[in-house]
């Protein structure tokens, strides 16, 4: 908790199979955030805790731990959408 994590990630809406974001897409880069302090959706924060450099992890995040009843229409995430993330931890730094 509190560490700065850098991950490669691909997010897909489980119900539709549609990719809404990937750090592997052209022009994108690995994503860095501070773990466990609410900078990202709850399911991501909880699901990534404890990851080690080089580790790959799959997360399935229900709507209540993702974007909820509102969804995130700008990214194609419908109301109540379940999210699937494929993650690779590339760096962890202590604060």
């Amino acid at each position: 908790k509190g560490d700065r994590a850098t991950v490669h990630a691909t997010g897909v809406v489980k119900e539709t199979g549609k990719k809404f974001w990937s750090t592997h897409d052209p022009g994108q880069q690995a994503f860095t955030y501070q773990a466990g302090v609410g900078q990202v959706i709850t399911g991501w924060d909880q699901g990534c805790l404890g990851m080690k450099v080089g580790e790959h992890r799959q997360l399935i995040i229900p709507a209540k731990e993702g974007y909820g009843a509102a969804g995130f229409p700008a990214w194609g995430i419908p109301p109540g959408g379940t999210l699937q993330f494929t993650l690779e931890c590339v760096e962890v730094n202590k604060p």
Side-chain angles (χ1 to χ4, degrees):
K1 186 173 179 174
D3 292 350
R4 291 193 58 74
T6 301
V7 298
H8 272 295
T10 298
V12 173
V13 176
K14 186 175 182 191
E15 291 83 358
T16 63
K18 183 181 176 206
K19 177 178 72 173
F20 60 85
W21 177 61
S22 179
T23 60
H24 294 289
D25 286 346
Q28 297 290 314
Q29 59 187 13
F31 177 71
T32 301
Y33 69 101
Q34 190 171 5
V37 297
Q39 288 188 345
V40 293
I41 58 174
T42 302
W44 178 302
D45 234 357
Q46 294 174 354
C48 291
L49 287 177
M51 281 188 82
K52 307 284 186 227
V53 173
E55 183 180 347
H56 293 254
R57 195 174 281 186
Q58 297 270 340
L59 302 180
I60 297 179
I61 300 175
K64 66 183 171 109
E65 295 176 3
Y67 292 102
F72 196 132
W75 282 9
I77 299 169
T82 301
L83 310 177
Q84 280 183 267
F85 282 98
T86 303
L87 304 169
E88 176 190 2
C89 183
V90 296
E91 188 174 29
V92 176
N93 294 301
K94 299 287 182 197

